[in-house]
Amino acid sequence: MKCKRCKAPAVVALPSHNTGFCPDCFDLFFTRQVERGIHSEKLFTHEDRILIALSGGKDSLACALVLKRLGYNVTGLHIDLSIPNSSQAARGTVESFCSENGIPLIVKEMAQEGLAIPDVKKRLNRPICSACGKIKRYYFNKTALDENFTVLATGHNLDDEIARLFSNVLRWDVGYLSDQGPLLEADSGFARKVKPLFRLSEYETANWSYLQGIPYHYAPCPYSQGASFTSYKKLWADLEEEMPGRKLAFYLGFLERGKAPFVRQEAVTGDTLAPCTSCGYPTSAEVCGVCRIRDAVAQQD
Ligand SMILES: [Zn+2]
Ligand SMILES: [Zn+2]
């Protein structure tokens, strides 16, 4: 196959766009898809101070690198979960990536916050993943607000978004459907949240990361059974093969025509949030979930 743009040998085939590209033209394609997403959904501008959550995985690193190259004001945030034999490697990947690319980095150590994940795991009688996710989201949000960032970005790609959307549709979860999308506006106690890679698939992001020489750090969490939404992603991969382009069309269609009724319904029936009496984070309970976890860990031994 030849590159659609310059006729050099293509290295990346893109059935969903009915085309293929050489490395340079693929870089251009990828970058333009990100820009198009930022502009069409008005995610942020060059005036914004963007904090980007960096786990050490390729998606978040790719997101940081493309935004940096586009001239945006980005700072990385890494949550060190303090898991032996795992967190150190992830943190090392993020630290060297940021120093090589001139991206400032903030690291939050969960051990110092009384929330080392092994201690949380010991204390909980339910799977750790949802608590760990809650703790990470809490510190992403808190750091963005405390340090006066105007936008909080994550590296979620189209496959992540489609799988989540599909899961929410299967449950007709009004609360989640009303909030889903590449942009969640700031609300009292919540930072503005964006997902700049929402137009790009996992495959496209992985190829771009590889071609840019982004370190491939594959270290699955020792506590997790594997990636979330695996079965939905598989189902959508089959569908996409039968109908190239359906994933992006389904997602954009939801944003354009599907989401509004859920937003209206949530405004009527949704939980009202009030500040946590302990930390001020918005919660539907008196004390937020993370403060309750921290208290439980402190009572240990
Ligand atoms: Zn080309
Ligand atoms: Zn709290």
Side-chain angles (χ1 to χ4, degrees):
M1 191 178 31
K2 285 182 173 168
C3 172
K4 182 194 176 187
R5 234 181 118 253
C6 76
K7 311 297 175 213
V11 294
V12 187
L14 300 177
S16 60
H17 296 269
N18 191 25
T19 188
F21 290 116
C22 74
D24 286 349
C25 296
F26 180 63
D27 179 27
L28 199 66
F29 163 85
F30 186 91
T31 306
R32 282 184 178 165
Q33 288 291 320
V34 175
E35 281 184 297
R36 194 169 160 191
I38 293 169
H39 295 147
S40 70
E41 298 298 318
K42 300 188 171 62
L43 300 187
F44 44 78
T45 70
H46 283 90
E47 311 306 310
D48 279 298
R49 289 188 71 222
I50 303 167
L51 183 67
I52 176 160
L54 300 176
S55 60
K58 61 175 168 39
D59 292 347
S60 58
L61 298 182
C63 188
L65 186 60
V66 71
L67 295 186
K68 168 85 184 173
R69 286 191 188 162
L70 286 167
Y72 289 102
N73 181 349
V74 282
T75 297
L77 168 62
H78 179 69
I79 307 290
D80 185 327
L81 299 169
S82 314
I83 303 173
N85 307 321
S86 160
S87 296
Q88 243 179 344
R91 179 173 174 166
T93 301
V94 172
E95 284 174 341
S96 56
F97 169 85
C98 284
S99 81
E100 273 165 34
N101 292 289
I103 297 172
L105 175 66
I106 298 171
V107 175
K108 292 277 171 203
E109 278 180 35
M110 290 305 99
Q112 289 188 359
E113 303 290 331
L115 287 166
I117 296 302
D119 296 342
V120 174
K121 186 178 180 339
K122 258 187 265 169
R123 200 63 202 177
L124 284 189
N125 299 317
R126 54 197 159 91
I128 182 72
C129 295
S130 72
C132 183
K134 187 181 281 194
I135 290 168
K136 283 190 279 191
R137 285 192 300 276
Y138 176 96
Y139 280 96
F140 292 159
N141 188 67
K142 179 173 167 46
T143 309
L145 295 177
D146 287 354
E147 314 270 336
N148 296 316
F149 287 92
T150 52
V151 178
L152 173 62
T154 52
H156 293 100
N157 59 45
L158 178 61
D159 293 79
D160 299 325
E161 283 293 278
I162 276 286
R164 180 176 298 275
L165 174 58
F166 193 59
S167 157
N168 292 336
V169 165
L170 285 180
R171 290 177 290 109
W172 294 116
D173 190 312
V174 174
Y176 283 118
L177 286 165
S178 69
D179 269 359
Q180 184 163 2
L183 168 65
L184 189 56
E185 294 282 4
D187 203 344
S188 63
F190 290 113
R192 180 184 176 91
K193 298 187 183 72
V194 298
K195 298 166 183 166
L197 300 187
F198 75 94
R199 295 182 62 92
L200 291 146
S201 69
E202 183 119 31
Y203 170 82
E204 289 160 349
T205 307
N207 273 280
W208 189 78
S209 301
Y210 173 76
L211 291 169
Q212 306 310 311
I214 286 177
Y216 187 77
H217 165 83
Y218 181 70
C221 172
Y223 298 152
S224 153
Q225 296 304 312
S228 53
F229 299 131
T230 310
S231 51
Y232 299 149
K233 284 187 175 174
K234 222 172 111 224
L235 201 141
W236 271 93
D238 290 346
L239 206 63
E240 180 75 11
E241 199 174 320
E242 294 275 323
M243 297 182 241
R246 181 47 54 107
K247 254 189 306 205
L248 186 59
F250 181 72
Y251 187 70
L252 295 179
F254 165 73
L255 296 180
E256 218 181 276
R257 302 183 298 280
K259 183 172 167 171
F262 295 107
V263 174
R264 285 196 293 273
Q265 193 178 334
E266 179 68 4
V268 178
T269 59
D271 279 337
T272 42
L273 301 180
C276 164
T277 51
S278 174
C279 76
Y281 186 75
T283 173
S284 55
E286 200 178 310
V287 176
C288 80
V290 171
C291 284
R292 277 180 280 148
I293 293 170
R294 193 189 289 108
D295 290 347
V297 171
Q299 282 163 19
Q300 207 153 250
D301 305 325

